[in-house]
């Protein structure tokens, strides 16, 4: 009888060992799965972050530029990356799409400067992709128009209304100060050697804006324009 009880007890111990072993395996497997999931999750976040950083870096090249000299401090903020594809949603309530972007120059002359200061910069609108069909005759009825303006107080604006040079041609202003860029892939030289003057101890700020107008959008769903509106500092 005692022997039989010992055998039963021994079997119970073995069963418990097996159960404990299986349970330990399941716990270990669960821990491994949690660790793998955590590693995968953070690796994914890391690479996604790098991807978007790279994308934003490519799109917003030199977004913030600061130039410091003996007498001056110049801060240029470029927020002019344009990447617009016309969607079905755009066409539900509108016939046109307006994309506005801005860039700013803040020019400070130090109190220690002996004389008033002058600096120069270029304003560019670089078209990288343009799916719209190029038209022989420039017109405000065409699909892609753009205009440019600047202000010293961010309230009162002056539109650019002169002939603009491109990489291989020139563009004339149309009604409403618009330029027809339908189908063009080129670099618009909006302003060259634009001069800013500043008195000792003073700060002057110029705000620049571009307005890209996409028209007849219901006939152009899926088409894209990619461009970069920016201010380039001219080395003194």
């Amino acid at each position: 009888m005692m022997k039989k009880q010992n055998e039963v007890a021994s079997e119970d111990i073995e069963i418990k060992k097996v159960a404990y072993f299986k349970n330990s395996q399941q716990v270990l497997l669960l821990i491994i799965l949690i660790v793998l999931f955590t590693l995968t999750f953070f690796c994914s976040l890391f690479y996604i972050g790098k991807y978007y950083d790279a994308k934003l870096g490519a799109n917003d090249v030199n977004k913030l530029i600061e130039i410091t000299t003996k007498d001056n401090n110049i801060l240029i903020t470029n927020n002019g990356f344009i990447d617009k594809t016309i969607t079905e949603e755009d066409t539900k309530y509108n016939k046109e799409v307006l994309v506005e972007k801005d860039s700013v120059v803040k020019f400070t002359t130090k109190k220690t400067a002996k004389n008033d200061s002058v600096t120069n910069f270029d304003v560019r609108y670089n078209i990288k992709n343009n799916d719209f069909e190029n038209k022989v005759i420039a017109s405000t009825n065409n699909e892609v128009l753009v205009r440019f303006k600047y202000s010293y107080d961010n309230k009162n604006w002056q539109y650019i209304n002169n002939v603009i040079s491109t990489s291989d041609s020139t563009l004339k202003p149309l009604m409403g100060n618009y330029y027809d860029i339908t189908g063009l892939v080129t670099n618009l030289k909006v302003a060259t050697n634009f001069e800013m003057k500043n008195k000792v101890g003073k700060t002057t700020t110029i705000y620049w804006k571009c307005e890209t107008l996409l028209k007849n959008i219901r006939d152009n769903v899926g088409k894209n324009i990619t461009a970069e509106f920016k201010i380039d500092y001219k080395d003194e």
Side-chain angles (χ1 to χ4, degrees):
M1 186 69 177
M2 181 63 69
K3 183 178 181 181
K4 188 173 182 179
Q5 289 178 344
N6 289 338
E7 288 177 354
V8 171
S10 179
E11 288 177 358
D12 289 340
I13 292 172
E14 290 299 320
I15 291 172
K16 289 180 179 179
K17 285 183 178 179
V18 171
Y20 177 79
F21 179 75
K22 289 183 176 180
N23 186 56
S24 298
Q25 283 186 316
Q26 291 175 345
V27 171
L28 180 61
L29 180 60
L30 180 60
I31 292 172
I32 292 172
L33 290 174
I34 291 173
V35 171
L36 289 174
F37 174 81
T38 303
L39 287 173
T40 303
F41 177 75
F42 282 105
C43 286
S44 299
L45 287 180
F46 174 77
Y47 285 107
I48 290 172
K50 287 190 67 177
Y51 169 78
Y52 280 104
D53 285 343
K55 186 175 181 180
L56 289 173
N59 292 345
D60 291 325
V61 176
N62 298 328
K63 182 175 180 179
L64 186 65
I65 305 169
E66 186 171 10
I67 303 98
T68 301
T69 65
K70 178 183 177 182
D71 295 329
N72 302 303
N73 181 267
I74 302 165
L75 185 65
I76 298 174
T77 306
N78 284 321
N79 294 307
F81 186 74
I82 300 155
D83 185 1
K84 177 58 185 175
T85 300
I86 296 176
T87 66
E88 291 285 355
E89 188 69 24
D90 292 325
T91 67
K92 285 184 178 180
Y93 308 105
N94 306 292
K95 294 181 180 179
E96 303 175 344
V97 172
L98 180 64
V99 181
E100 294 183 288
K101 294 293 180 177
D102 62 82
S103 293
V104 181
V105 181
K106 187 176 182 180
F107 179 31
T108 300
T109 300
K110 300 174 184 177
K111 294 180 179 179
T112 55
K114 296 181 179 179
N115 301 301
D116 295 345
S117 297
V118 177
T119 191
N120 298 84
F121 57 85
D122 295 339
V123 181
R124 299 290 184 252
Y125 185 92
N126 185 22
I127 307 171
K128 300 179 179 180
N129 183 68
N130 195 338
D131 293 337
F132 298 82
E133 183 180 354
N134 195 357
K135 303 297 174 64
V136 176
I137 300 175
S139 170
T140 53
N141 293 321
N142 290 342
E143 283 77 10
V144 190
L145 307 175
V146 66
R147 61 182 178 179
F148 309 95
K149 59 184 180 180
Y150 64 91
S151 170
Y152 286 91
D153 59 7
N154 207 20
K155 295 178 181 178
N156 300 297
W157 296 91
Q158 175 69 44
Y159 279 98
I160 297 295
N161 192 29
N162 52 267
V163 174
I164 291 179
S165 298
T166 72
S167 302
D168 49 15
S169 63
T170 56
L171 297 178
K172 294 181 179 180
L174 304 173
M175 186 180 298
N177 303 306
Y178 281 107
Y179 297 84
D180 183 3
I181 57 170
T182 308
L184 297 182
V185 178
T186 187
N187 185 18
L188 276 64
K189 300 175 183 179
V190 180
T192 300
N193 289 324
F194 192 96
E195 186 177 85
M196 288 182 72
K197 296 180 179 180
N198 214 29
K199 294 186 177 295
V200 175
K202 299 296 183 180
T203 296
T204 300
T205 303
I206 296 186
Y207 304 86
W208 281 83
K209 286 189 178 182
C210 72
E211 302 169 350
T212 306
L213 181 64
L214 307 181
K215 304 181 68 174
N216 307 322
I217 60 175
R218 293 176 183 174
D219 298 327
N220 292 286
V221 173
K223 292 186 179 179
N224 168 272
I225 182 167
T226 303
E228 185 180 15
F229 174 64
K230 66 176 183 175
I231 295 170
D232 289 328
Y233 172 71
K234 301 283 288 186
D235 292 333
E236 296 179 351

